[in-house]
Amino acid sequence: MRATRRSYFEATARQRVSGIADPGSFKEICGPTERRTSPSLPFFGLPAAFDDGVVVGDALIGGRPVSLAAQEGRFMGGAFGEVHAAKVAGLLRRALRTRPEAFVFLLDSGGVRLQEANAGEIGVTEIMRAIFDLRHAGVPVIGVVGGSCGSFGGAGIVSGCCDTLIASQEGRMGVSGPEVIETTMGVEAFDSRDRALVWRTTGGKNRRLFGAVSALVEDHIPAFREALLKALDRPASFTLEALAARRAALKARFETYGSAGDALDIWRAMGFDRPEDVPAMDVRDLEARLEPAREETP
Amino acid sequence: MKLDEALKSLFPAGCSVRTEGNVVLGEARVGTRGEAVAAVLGTTDNAFIGLEEILALGEGLLDVLRDHPGRPVVLLVDNAGQRMALREELLGLFEYIANLAALQDLARRRGHKILAVVYGNSVAGGFIACGMLADRICALADARTSVMNLASIARVTRLSQDFLEELSKTLPVFAPGLQPFFKMGGIHEIWDADHAQRLEAALAACSPQDERAALGRERAGRTLARDIMDRVASA
């Protein structure tokens, strides 16, 4: 079984795109042959990439047209620089015109590229606004997190802006990464070398249990594709009622769990008698447990 | 600038503003004559933007949407960034920030002008949560902004701080500070005087279109972003 697994975590952005899109259907825009490289990295003595670490284009998934963007975590940690962010924002604007069945964003990013911090941060907010434009126009935006960089900083916030999130247990997400918190606030605030703590705090399972992630999948590219096929049927939603309901759920979460010190306490309060077993739980078993308790997702 | 001082210079015609913790809520008369009223929302005292702050700002915004449809919103920005804590990450601060951002975006669609005024500090996720989603982003001349300070950038990138200090003088794409951010199109206007008049004019100039990439190109800061967006959007 293991030998035939196609790990999403270990794959490159291009391998993920070709494993998720229908064979031969992906048409890249502004690809590496156009050599749109970062104008800033040379000042830092850093090599550029011809795609600036993101692949964008049109594709079919199960015969249905989608816009598809995929970040390459192996280049600059998948972080948003000027060109990288503009390619994603451009694809979102394109989708507003072409109206595909969904916009799919395979996130794998530590956030804003520090060598282009200002351009990256502004780019992140341009992407957020373009995501809201698209959702408002009725095109669902689906985020996918399962890569080695997870989805942190500006990328984490972008994840929260999607209609639907699909993640594996390995798909960590958040705003401040554990290393950043430890460096800034001290090891007693967050011990980033405690890997179990990192996974249960930021990993896909905790996000699934809170309802931020709507489908948890195994680290297997076909499993991501299958979850995407299902997610294509979920309509976009961007109404005052839905956003206010979401805020009410986040407020209730804060009131219920705001004093919890650890994910294990939260999972126990959610009804898991042996919360320490959750990290090793099979995805299907966890999903089966969740079926009756979905009320947090609007 | 301190909140009291900022309120006086921004709203000389008067305002009724209260603080709950570090969150600022209320309303103000706009311009020197004060004919129009704007809702005021924001933070003070170099606040860390965490779960409580986001929830309070969201509630304030929902109140405006419900009680004062179409009323312009002035976001007063002063923060030290997102609160960096295990608790915020455990509960999913990314969702809280995204929800507040979405509410601001929705307010714009319902006819509310959203004007951000950085009067203190503005950092990273704190600025994204409160300020960067506005129609128009303005800053008082003595305000500050950064994504990360140079000492931290040096630590993460393993480049020397001296090298970064030197480079930051000529490379606005990463340099902390208002002027570099302005050059990139991330701030529309910097106000060095006549705050009340500038605020009134800026509210009138609010547009729901995100034109920051064009602004960055015009100011020769972000030279490629707009062209690449257009290239992909029109392919």
Side-chain angles (χ1 to χ4, degrees):
Chain A
M1 174 81 184
R2 277 274 155 190
T4 59
R5 268 179 101 88
R6 292 159 63 202
S7 166
Y8 184 97
F9 188 85
E10 287 166 21
T12 65
R14 287 172 194 280
Q15 286 166 341
R16 288 171 191 156
V17 165
S18 66
I20 276 169
D22 294 352
S25 72
F26 182 67
K27 291 188 178 56
E28 186 168 358
I29 302 168
C30 214
T33 54
E34 293 187 24
R35 303 197 170 190
R36 304 277 192 152
T37 59
S38 159
S40 309
L41 292 178
F43 291 103
F44 296 86
L46 290 165
F50 290 150
D51 59 11
D52 205 36
V54 67
V55 182
V56 304
D58 298 334
L60 298 174
I61 299 180
R64 301 162 76 171
V66 298
S67 289
L68 182 56
Q71 294 179 301
E72 177 51 68
R74 296 175 197 207
F75 178 71
M76 300 298 298
F80 292 98
E82 177 176 354
V83 173
H84 182 120
K87 285 171 73 176
V88 177
L91 191 70
L92 285 156
R93 290 182 187 189
R94 172 185 179 76
L96 201 55
R97 178 170 61 82
T98 62
R99 302 293 166 115
E101 290 201 30
F103 185 98
V104 178
F105 193 178
L106 312 183
L107 292 133
D108 191 1
S109 173
V112 167
R113 190 184 293 170
L114 293 176
Q115 292 84 355
E116 304 179 39
N118 296 332
E121 183 169 75
I122 300 164
V124 161
T125 57
E126 287 168 337
I127 288 167
M128 290 166 70
R129 288 190 60 171
I131 287 176
F132 297 143
D133 281 340
L134 205 49
R135 290 176 57 185
H136 183 254
V139 179
V141 178
I142 306 170
V144 180
V145 184
S148 59
C149 297
S151 181
F152 283 95
I157 297 171
V158 166
S159 309
C161 294
C162 298
D163 285 287
T164 304
L165 272 180
I166 296 167
S168 59
Q169 171 163 233
E170 293 80 358
R172 296 156 296 122
M173 60 197 88
V175 186
S176 313
E179 291 83 3
V180 175
I181 296 178
E182 182 181 321
T183 307
T184 317
M185 310 304 289
V187 70
E188 61 288 347
F190 202 141
D191 182 358
S192 70
R193 282 191 295 183
D194 183 344
R195 299 321 286 171
L197 173 69
V198 170
W199 288 105
R200 69 179 181 264
T201 303
T202 67
K205 272 189 183 156
N206 193 35
R207 302 316 186 197
R208 177 69 186 96
L209 289 169
F210 271 135
V213 165
S214 42
L216 188 71
V217 297
E218 295 283 359
D219 176 34
H220 184 47
I221 293 177
F224 278 89
R225 177 178 151 93
E226 203 179 306
L228 270 167
L229 275 167
K230 283 188 196 144
L232 289 179
D233 292 325
R234 285 174 66 126
S237 145
F238 199 72
T239 62
L240 178 57
E241 294 68 31
L243 294 178
R246 188 76 200 140
R247 188 191 160 276
L250 293 172
K251 185 166 185 258
R253 183 192 299 176
F254 172 73
E255 284 162 358
T256 311
Y257 303 113
S259 57
D262 193 293
L264 294 173
D265 303 333
I266 293 171
W267 299 344
R268 188 175 292 109
M270 283 176 172
F272 288 91
D273 300 331
R274 294 178 52 82
E276 63 277 12
D277 292 347
V278 169
M281 252 174 107
D282 186 81
V283 165
R284 263 169 307 182
D285 294 343
L286 192 82
E287 284 291 328
R289 281 280 310 254
L290 277 169
E291 282 308 321
R294 274 207 166 137
E295 65 276 11
E296 219 198 291
T297 315
Chain B
M1 197 177 275
K2 281 293 180 199
L3 179 65
D4 287 353
E5 205 186 331
L7 288 172
K8 265 185 220 135
S9 81
L10 291 167
F11 307 113
C15 65
S16 159
V17 166
R18 67 183 195 282
T19 54
E20 285 175 15
N22 283 328
V23 174
V24 179
L25 301 153
E27 57 183 51
R29 300 205 158 271
V30 172
T32 47
R33 283 169 303 168
E35 279 154 18
V37 174
V40 174
L41 278 175
T43 57
T44 185
D45 288 332
N46 205 19
F48 283 105
I49 305 293
L51 305 174
E52 289 96 335
E53 289 77 12
I54 301 277
L55 288 172
L57 289 167
E59 185 175 354
L61 192 54
L62 282 174
D63 286 347
V64 176
L65 285 165
R66 189 188 54 231
D67 300 337
H68 304 288
R71 179 178 272 190
V73 178
V74 177
L75 296 172
L76 293 181
V77 180
D78 180 19
N79 67 73
Q82 74 272 13
R83 182 172 295 129
M84 295 191 187
L86 176 65
R87 183 194 72 165
E88 317 314 278
E89 294 307 321
L90 185 58
L91 266 65
L93 181 61
F94 73 104
E95 289 178 83
Y96 289 73
I97 293 179
N99 181 253
L100 180 61
L103 283 171
Q104 292 170 56
D105 201 83
L106 191 95
R108 172 178 17 254
R109 287 175 210 283
R110 292 166 75 98
H112 294 262
K113 290 177 172 180
I114 317 259
L115 173 70
V117 181
V118 187
Y119 72 98
N121 195 8
S122 54
V123 181
F127 200 13
I128 293 177
C130 184
M132 291 186 76
L133 270 284
D135 298 327
R136 205 164 178 86
I137 305 161
C138 303
L140 306 190
D142 63 351
R144 291 168 291 150
T145 192
S146 62
V147 178
M148 194 183 264
N149 61 50
L150 291 182
S152 301
I153 295 182
R155 233 181 0 248
V156 179
T157 60
R158 299 194 182 95
L159 293 162
S160 87
Q161 198 174 331
D162 288 345
F163 170 76
L164 292 176
E165 299 273 4
E166 198 54 37
L167 195 58
S168 70
K169 291 173 190 161
T170 54
L171 200 61
V173 71
F174 85 106
L178 284 190
Q179 287 299 340
F181 219 70
F182 176 86
K183 201 155 189 240
M184 306 305 288
I187 288 176
H188 293 77
E189 308 173 28
I190 297 175
W191 303 342
D192 50 14
D194 306 322
H195 296 161
Q197 291 93 325
R198 296 295 298 264
L199 187 145
E200 190 171 27
L203 268 178
C206 277
S207 145
Q209 298 305 318
D210 188 349
E211 294 294 350
R212 290 174 295 166
L215 211 53
R217 183 175 60 185
E218 216 171 273
R219 294 173 182 169
R222 273 194 303 159
T223 52
L224 300 179
R226 179 56 193 263
D227 293 344
I228 286 173
M229 278 182 205
D230 289 348
R231 157 84 185 93
V232 177
S234 63

